[in-house]
PDB file of all heavy atoms in Angstrom:
ATOM      1  N   SER A  70       0.583  -8.928  -3.389  1.00  0.00           N
ATOM      2  CA  SER A  70       1.691  -8.049  -3.143  1.00  0.00           C
ATOM      3  C   SER A  70       1.673  -7.494  -1.730  1.00  0.00           C
ATOM      4  O   SER A  70       0.679  -7.621  -1.060  1.00  0.00           O
ATOM      5  CB  SER A  70       1.550  -6.798  -4.123  1.00  0.00           C
ATOM      6  OG  SER A  70       1.663  -7.279  -5.452  1.00  0.00           O
ATOM      7  N   THR A  71       2.805  -6.913  -1.363  1.00  0.00           N
ATOM      8  CA  THR A  71       2.867  -6.188  -0.102  1.00  0.00           C
ATOM      9  C   THR A  71       2.942  -4.695  -0.447  1.00  0.00           C
ATOM     10  O   THR A  71       3.657  -4.336  -1.331  1.00  0.00           O
ATOM     11  CB  THR A  71       4.139  -6.564   0.699  1.00  0.00           C
ATOM     12  OG1 THR A  71       4.077  -7.964   1.008  1.00  0.00           O
ATOM     13  CG2 THR A  71       4.253  -5.784   2.021  1.00  0.00           C
ATOM     14  N   ALA A  72       2.150  -3.887   0.222  1.00  0.00           N
ATOM     15  CA  ALA A  72       2.101  -2.456   0.011  1.00  0.00           C
ATOM     16  C   ALA A  72       2.966  -1.727   1.022  1.00  0.00           C
ATOM     17  O   ALA A  72       2.959  -2.075   2.211  1.00  0.00           O
ATOM     18  CB  ALA A  72       0.705  -1.926   0.084  1.00  0.00           C
ATOM     19  N   TYR A  73       3.733  -0.781   0.550  1.00  0.00           N
ATOM     20  CA  TYR A  73       4.646  -0.001   1.393  1.00  0.00           C
ATOM     21  C   TYR A  73       4.394   1.492   1.249  1.00  0.00           C
ATOM     22  O   TYR A  73       3.885   1.918   0.215  1.00  0.00           O
ATOM     23  CB  TYR A  73       6.091  -0.272   0.974  1.00  0.00           C
ATOM     24  CG  TYR A  73       6.516  -1.705   1.104  1.00  0.00           C
ATOM     25  CD1 TYR A  73       6.410  -2.600   0.048  1.00  0.00           C
ATOM     26  CD2 TYR A  73       7.038  -2.184   2.284  1.00  0.00           C
ATOM     27  CE1 TYR A  73       6.819  -3.873   0.143  1.00  0.00           C
ATOM     28  CE2 TYR A  73       7.448  -3.509   2.427  1.00  0.00           C
ATOM     29  CZ  TYR A  73       7.319  -4.291   1.338  1.00  0.00           C
ATOM     30  OH  TYR A  73       7.707  -5.648   1.457  1.00  0.00           O
ATOM     31  N   LYS A  74       4.758   2.241   2.278  1.00  0.00           N
ATOM     32  CA  LYS A  74       4.589   3.706   2.265  1.00  0.00           C
ATOM     33  C   LYS A  74       5.980   4.298   1.920  1.00  0.00           C
ATOM     34  O   LYS A  74       6.910   4.183   2.690  1.00  0.00           O
ATOM     35  CB  LYS A  74       4.092   4.157   3.621  1.00  0.00           C
ATOM     36  CG  LYS A  74       3.725   5.606   3.676  1.00  0.00           C
ATOM     37  CD  LYS A  74       3.280   6.055   5.072  1.00  0.00           C
ATOM     38  CE  LYS A  74       1.915   5.450   5.356  1.00  0.00           C
ATOM     39  NZ  LYS A  74       1.352   5.995   6.611  1.00  0.00           N
ATOM     40  N   ASN A  75       6.091   4.932   0.778  1.00  0.00           N
ATOM     41  CA  ASN A  75       7.227   5.685   0.279  1.00  0.00           C
ATOM     42  C   ASN A  75       8.507   4.903  -0.094  1.00  0.00           C
ATOM     43  O   ASN A  75       9.229   5.271  -0.943  1.00  0.00           O
ATOM     44  CB  ASN A  75       7.635   6.821   1.274  1.00  0.00           C
ATOM     45  CG  ASN A  75       6.453   7.819   1.467  1.00  0.00           C
ATOM     46  OD1 ASN A  75       5.820   8.206   0.509  1.00  0.00           O
ATOM     47  ND2 ASN A  75       6.229   8.201   2.681  1.00  0.00           N
ATOM     48  N   GLU A  76       8.758   3.791   0.604  1.00  0.00           N
ATOM     49  CA  GLU A  76       9.918   2.928   0.273  1.00  0.00           C
ATOM     50  C   GLU A  76       9.725   1.520   0.784  1.00  0.00           C
ATOM     51  O   GLU A  76       8.832   1.344   1.647  1.00  0.00           O
ATOM     52  CB  GLU A  76      11.198   3.520   0.880  1.00  0.00           C
ATOM     53  CG  GLU A  76      11.163   3.534   2.420  1.00  0.00           C
ATOM     54  CD  GLU A  76      12.444   4.151   3.050  1.00  0.00           C
ATOM     55  OE1 GLU A  76      13.303   4.626   2.238  1.00  0.00           O
ATOM     56  OE2 GLU A  76      12.532   4.118   4.229  1.00  0.00           O
ATOM     57  N   ILE A  77      10.480   0.562   0.324  1.00  0.00           N
ATOM     58  CA  ILE A  77      10.359  -0.805   0.740  1.00  0.00           C
ATOM     59  C   ILE A  77      11.213  -1.027   1.951  1.00  0.00           C
ATOM     60  O   ILE A  77      12.490  -0.882   1.876  1.00  0.00           O
ATOM     61  CB  ILE A  77      10.771  -1.729  -0.381  1.00  0.00           C
ATOM     62  CG1 ILE A  77       9.837  -1.609  -1.580  1.00  0.00           C
ATOM     63  CG2 ILE A  77      10.775  -3.170   0.115  1.00  0.00           C
ATOM     64  CD1 ILE A  77      10.204  -2.425  -2.794  1.00  0.00           C
ATOM     65  N   SER A  78      10.612  -1.259   3.075  1.00  0.00           N
ATOM     66  CA  SER A  78      11.276  -1.659   4.319  1.00  0.00           C
ATOM     67  C   SER A  78      10.218  -2.280   5.256  1.00  0.00           C
ATOM     68  O   SER A  78       9.035  -2.060   5.074  1.00  0.00           O
ATOM     69  CB  SER A  78      11.966  -0.507   5.013  1.00  0.00           C
ATOM     70  OG  SER A  78      11.069   0.330   5.619  1.00  0.00           O
ATOM     71  N   GLU A  79      10.725  -3.021   6.235  1.00  0.00           N
ATOM     72  CA  GLU A  79       9.777  -3.640   7.179  1.00  0.00           C
ATOM     73  C   GLU A  79       8.990  -2.583   7.909  1.00  0.00           C
ATOM     74  O   GLU A  79       7.793  -2.781   8.252  1.00  0.00           O
ATOM     75  CB  GLU A  79      10.563  -4.504   8.215  1.00  0.00           C
ATOM     76  CG  GLU A  79      10.956  -5.869   7.716  1.00  0.00           C
ATOM     77  CD  GLU A  79      11.552  -6.744   8.818  1.00  0.00           C
ATOM     78  OE1 GLU A  79      11.118  -6.614   9.990  1.00  0.00           O
ATOM     79  OE2 GLU A  79      12.440  -7.462   8.526  1.00  0.00           O
ATOM     80  N   GLN A  80       9.595  -1.438   8.233  1.00  0.00           N
ATOM     81  CA  GLN A  80       8.930  -0.409   8.965  1.00  0.00           C
ATOM     82  C   GLN A  80       7.898   0.344   8.203  1.00  0.00           C
ATOM     83  O   GLN A  80       6.957   0.966   8.759  1.00  0.00           O
ATOM     84  CB  GLN A  80       9.991   0.635   9.479  1.00  0.00           C
ATOM     85  CG  GLN A  80      10.959   0.045  10.492  1.00  0.00           C
ATOM     86  CD  GLN A  80      12.070  -0.705   9.810  1.00  0.00           C
ATOM     87  OE1 GLN A  80      12.350  -0.632   8.629  1.00  0.00           O
ATOM     88  NE2 GLN A  80      12.707  -1.616  10.609  1.00  0.00           N
ATOM     89  N   THR A  81       7.965   0.299   6.841  1.00  0.00           N
ATOM     90  CA  THR A  81       6.983   1.024   6.051  1.00  0.00           C
ATOM     91  C   THR A  81       5.885   0.153   5.466  1.00  0.00           C
ATOM     92  O   THR A  81       5.058   0.650   4.622  1.00  0.00           O
ATOM     93  CB  THR A  81       7.722   1.822   4.937  1.00  0.00           C
ATOM     94  OG1 THR A  81       8.332   0.882   4.092  1.00  0.00           O
ATOM     95  CG2 THR A  81       8.691   2.793   5.504  1.00  0.00           C
ATOM     96  N   ALA A  82       5.840  -1.143   5.760  1.00  0.00           N
ATOM     97  CA  ALA A  82       4.848  -2.026   5.167  1.00  0.00           C
ATOM     98  C   ALA A  82       3.456  -1.626   5.733  1.00  0.00           C
ATOM     99  O   ALA A  82       3.296  -1.336   6.923  1.00  0.00           O
ATOM    100  CB  ALA A  82       5.160  -3.498   5.607  1.00  0.00           C
ATOM    101  N   ILE A  83       2.517  -1.525   4.835  1.00  0.00           N
ATOM    102  CA  ILE A  83       1.135  -1.089   5.121  1.00  0.00           C
ATOM    103  C   ILE A  83       0.230  -2.365   5.207  1.00  0.00           C
ATOM    104  O   ILE A  83      -0.551  -2.486   6.115  1.00  0.00           O
ATOM    105  CB  ILE A  83       0.597  -0.185   4.143  1.00  0.00           C
ATOM    106  CG1 ILE A  83       1.475   1.136   4.010  1.00  0.00           C
ATOM    107  CG2 ILE A  83      -0.870   0.216   4.409  1.00  0.00           C
ATOM    108  CD1 ILE A  83       1.128   2.007   2.875  1.00  0.00           C
ATOM    109  N   MET A  84       0.302  -3.217   4.225  1.00  0.00           N
ATOM    110  CA  MET A  84      -0.600  -4.360   4.096  1.00  0.00           C
ATOM    111  C   MET A  84       0.055  -5.472   3.328  1.00  0.00           C
ATOM    112  O   MET A  84       0.699  -5.170   2.284  1.00  0.00           O
ATOM    113  CB  MET A  84      -1.910  -3.896   3.431  1.00  0.00           C
ATOM    114  CG  MET A  84      -2.914  -5.025   3.304  1.00  0.00           C
ATOM    115  SD  MET A  84      -4.476  -4.452   2.538  1.00  0.00           S
ATOM    116  CE  MET A  84      -5.421  -4.012   3.978  1.00  0.00           C
ATOM    117  N   ASN A  85      -0.131  -6.695   3.774  1.00  0.00           N
ATOM    118  CA  ASN A  85       0.316  -7.858   3.051  1.00  0.00           C
ATOM    119  C   ASN A  85      -0.808  -8.503   2.246  1.00  0.00           C
ATOM    120  O   ASN A  85      -1.975  -8.199   2.558  1.00  0.00           O
ATOM    121  CB  ASN A  85       0.873  -8.900   4.039  1.00  0.00           C
ATOM    122  CG  ASN A  85       2.137  -8.454   4.710  1.00  0.00           C
ATOM    123  OD1 ASN A  85       3.027  -7.859   4.135  1.00  0.00           O
ATOM    124  ND2 ASN A  85       2.204  -8.636   6.030  1.00  0.00           N
ATOM    125  N   ASN A  86      -0.477  -9.371   1.321  1.00  0.00           N
ATOM    126  CA  ASN A  86      -1.454 -10.154   0.558  1.00  0.00           C
ATOM    127  C   ASN A  86      -2.460  -9.211  -0.181  1.00  0.00           C
ATOM    128  O   ASN A  86      -3.659  -9.510  -0.267  1.00  0.00           O
ATOM    129  CB  ASN A  86      -2.231 -11.132   1.425  1.00  0.00           C
ATOM    130  CG  ASN A  86      -1.238 -12.113   2.030  1.00  0.00           C
ATOM    131  OD1 ASN A  86      -0.358 -12.688   1.379  1.00  0.00           O
ATOM    132  ND2 ASN A  86      -1.410 -12.435   3.297  1.00  0.00           N
ATOM    133  N   VAL A  87      -2.022  -8.058  -0.717  1.00  0.00           N
ATOM    134  CA  VAL A  87      -2.873  -7.130  -1.425  1.00  0.00           C
ATOM    135  C   VAL A  87      -3.246  -7.763  -2.729  1.00  0.00           C
ATOM    136  O   VAL A  87      -2.373  -8.258  -3.511  1.00  0.00           O
ATOM    137  CB  VAL A  87      -2.105  -5.828  -1.641  1.00  0.00           C
ATOM    138  CG1 VAL A  87      -2.993  -4.872  -2.526  1.00  0.00           C
ATOM    139  CG2 VAL A  87      -1.805  -5.134  -0.327  1.00  0.00           C
ATOM    140  N   MET A  88      -4.580  -7.810  -3.004  1.00  0.00           N
ATOM    141  CA  MET A  88      -4.963  -8.372  -4.283  1.00  0.00           C
ATOM    142  C   MET A  88      -5.580  -7.317  -5.247  1.00  0.00           C
ATOM    143  O   MET A  88      -5.599  -7.517  -6.401  1.00  0.00           O
ATOM    144  CB  MET A  88      -6.011  -9.491  -4.095  1.00  0.00           C
ATOM    145  CG  MET A  88      -7.279  -9.059  -3.447  1.00  0.00           C
ATOM    146  SD  MET A  88      -8.398 -10.543  -3.406  1.00  0.00           S
ATOM    147  CE  MET A  88      -9.899  -9.711  -3.029  1.00  0.00           C
ATOM    148  N   THR A  89      -6.036  -6.168  -4.654  1.00  0.00           N
ATOM    149  CA  THR A  89      -6.522  -5.078  -5.564  1.00  0.00           C
ATOM    150  C   THR A  89      -6.040  -3.801  -5.058  1.00  0.00           C
ATOM    151  O   THR A  89      -5.867  -3.551  -3.857  1.00  0.00           O
ATOM    152  CB  THR A  89      -8.068  -5.037  -5.615  1.00  0.00           C
ATOM    153  OG1 THR A  89      -8.647  -4.698  -4.404  1.00  0.00           O
ATOM    154  CG2 THR A  89      -8.637  -6.312  -6.178  1.00  0.00           C
ATOM    155  N   VAL A  90      -5.815  -2.850  -5.992  1.00  0.00           N
ATOM    156  CA  VAL A  90      -5.385  -1.475  -5.714  1.00  0.00           C
ATOM    157  C   VAL A  90      -6.294  -0.557  -6.509  1.00  0.00           C
ATOM    158  O   VAL A  90      -6.324  -0.686  -7.757  1.00  0.00           O
ATOM    159  CB  VAL A  90      -3.859  -1.262  -6.085  1.00  0.00           C
ATOM    160  CG1 VAL A  90      -3.468   0.166  -5.819  1.00  0.00           C
ATOM    161  CG2 VAL A  90      -2.979  -2.219  -5.410  1.00  0.00           C
ATOM    162  N   GLU A  91      -6.974   0.361  -5.849  1.00  0.00           N
ATOM    163  CA  GLU A  91      -7.835   1.291  -6.490  1.00  0.00           C
ATOM    164  C   GLU A  91      -7.347   2.716  -6.228  1.00  0.00           C
ATOM    165  O   GLU A  91      -7.057   3.061  -5.091  1.00  0.00           O
ATOM    166  CB  GLU A  91      -9.272   1.216  -5.993  1.00  0.00           C
ATOM    167  CG  GLU A  91      -9.902  -0.166  -6.247  1.00  0.00           C
ATOM    168  CD  GLU A  91     -11.319  -0.204  -5.623  1.00  0.00           C
ATOM    169  OE1 GLU A  91     -12.182   0.607  -5.936  1.00  0.00           O
ATOM    170  OE2 GLU A  91     -11.476  -1.105  -4.732  1.00  0.00           O
ATOM    171  N   CYS A  92      -7.148   3.481  -7.277  1.00  0.00           N
ATOM    172  CA  CYS A  92      -6.672   4.864  -7.068  1.00  0.00           C
ATOM    173  C   CYS A  92      -7.758   5.836  -7.365  1.00  0.00           C
ATOM    174  O   CYS A  92      -8.407   5.849  -8.447  1.00  0.00           O
ATOM    175  CB  CYS A  92      -5.493   5.099  -8.032  1.00  0.00           C
ATOM    176  SG  CYS A  92      -4.065   4.042  -7.775  1.00  0.00           S
ATOM    177  N   ASN A  93      -8.061   6.718  -6.365  1.00  0.00           N
ATOM    178  CA  ASN A  93      -8.988   7.808  -6.546  1.00  0.00           C
ATOM    179  C   ASN A  93      -8.184   9.076  -6.599  1.00  0.00           C
ATOM    180  O   ASN A  93      -6.954   9.096  -6.654  1.00  0.00           O
ATOM    181  CB  ASN A  93     -10.034   7.840  -5.434  1.00  0.00           C
ATOM    182  CG  ASN A  93     -10.951   6.603  -5.500  1.00  0.00           C
ATOM    183  OD1 ASN A  93     -11.310   6.153  -6.571  1.00  0.00           O
ATOM    184  ND2 ASN A  93     -11.335   6.126  -4.355  1.00  0.00           N
ATOM    185  N   GLU A  94      -8.835  10.228  -6.499  1.00  0.00           N
ATOM    186  CA  GLU A  94      -8.117  11.547  -6.661  1.00  0.00           C
ATOM    187  C   GLU A  94      -6.933  11.659  -5.711  1.00  0.00           C
ATOM    188  O   GLU A  94      -5.853  11.909  -6.169  1.00  0.00           O
ATOM    189  CB  GLU A  94      -9.077  12.664  -6.448  1.00  0.00           C
ATOM    190  CG  GLU A  94     -10.068  12.798  -7.606  1.00  0.00           C
ATOM    191  CD  GLU A  94     -10.985  13.959  -7.454  1.00  0.00           C
ATOM    192  OE1 GLU A  94     -10.626  14.947  -6.808  1.00  0.00           O
ATOM    193  OE2 GLU A  94     -12.053  13.900  -7.977  1.00  0.00           O
ATOM    194  N   ASN A  95      -7.155  11.535  -4.409  1.00  0.00           N
ATOM    195  CA  ASN A  95      -6.058  11.733  -3.488  1.00  0.00           C
ATOM    196  C   ASN A  95      -5.933  10.581  -2.486  1.00  0.00           C
ATOM    197  O   ASN A  95      -5.432  10.749  -1.396  1.00  0.00           O
ATOM    198  CB  ASN A  95      -6.220  13.047  -2.700  1.00  0.00           C
ATOM    199  CG  ASN A  95      -6.083  14.265  -3.552  1.00  0.00           C
ATOM    200  OD1 ASN A  95      -5.244  14.300  -4.449  1.00  0.00           O
ATOM    201  ND2 ASN A  95      -6.906  15.275  -3.356  1.00  0.00           N
ATOM    202  N   GLU A  96      -6.354   9.414  -2.900  1.00  0.00           N
ATOM    203  CA  GLU A  96      -6.270   8.240  -2.053  1.00  0.00           C
ATOM    204  C   GLU A  96      -6.117   6.950  -2.823  1.00  0.00           C
ATOM    205  O   GLU A  96      -6.472   6.869  -3.956  1.00  0.00           O
ATOM    206  CB  GLU A  96      -7.484   8.175  -1.096  1.00  0.00           C
ATOM    207  CG  GLU A  96      -8.774   7.923  -1.787  1.00  0.00           C
ATOM    208  CD  GLU A  96      -9.972   7.909  -0.846  1.00  0.00           C
ATOM    209  OE1 GLU A  96      -9.868   8.335   0.352  1.00  0.00           O
ATOM    210  OE2 GLU A  96     -11.018   7.371  -1.253  1.00  0.00           O
ATOM    211  N   VAL A  97      -5.559   5.977  -2.105  1.00  0.00           N
ATOM    212  CA  VAL A  97      -5.377   4.689  -2.697  1.00  0.00           C
ATOM    213  C   VAL A  97      -6.107   3.689  -1.743  1.00  0.00           C
ATOM    214  O   VAL A  97      -5.852   3.713  -0.564  1.00  0.00           O
ATOM    215  CB  VAL A  97      -3.894   4.303  -2.846  1.00  0.00           C
ATOM    216  CG1 VAL A  97      -3.768   2.875  -3.438  1.00  0.00           C
ATOM    217  CG2 VAL A  97      -3.265   5.317  -3.750  1.00  0.00           C
ATOM    218  N   ILE A  98      -6.984   2.823  -2.289  1.00  0.00           N
ATOM    219  CA  ILE A  98      -7.646   1.810  -1.505  1.00  0.00           C
ATOM    220  C   ILE A  98      -7.108   0.470  -1.832  1.00  0.00           C
ATOM    221  O   ILE A  98      -7.113   0.002  -2.950  1.00  0.00           O
ATOM    222  CB  ILE A  98      -9.162   1.818  -1.800  1.00  0.00           C
ATOM    223  CG1 ILE A  98      -9.736   3.219  -1.533  1.00  0.00           C
ATOM    224  CG2 ILE A  98      -9.901   0.793  -0.967  1.00  0.00           C
ATOM    225  CD1 ILE A  98     -11.114   3.484  -2.096  1.00  0.00           C
ATOM    226  N   LEU A  99      -6.518  -0.171  -0.756  1.00  0.00           N
ATOM    227  CA  LEU A  99      -5.956  -1.501  -0.901  1.00  0.00           C
ATOM    228  C   LEU A  99      -6.924  -2.513  -0.344  1.00  0.00           C
ATOM    229  O   LEU A  99      -7.567  -2.270   0.672  1.00  0.00           O
ATOM    230  CB  LEU A  99      -4.693  -1.568  -0.088  1.00  0.00           C
ATOM    231  CG  LEU A  99      -3.597  -0.518  -0.391  1.00  0.00           C
ATOM    232  CD1 LEU A  99      -2.549  -0.564   0.667  1.00  0.00           C
ATOM    233  CD2 LEU A  99      -3.022  -0.707  -1.747  1.00  0.00           C
TER     234      LEU A  99
END
């Protein structure tokens, strides 16, 4: 997957080829 910040757009893309997503209290680790 591609990870985005707040909405899907080229400008908000954070990381491509994401294979794992880990959620902690106040953070997400891609």
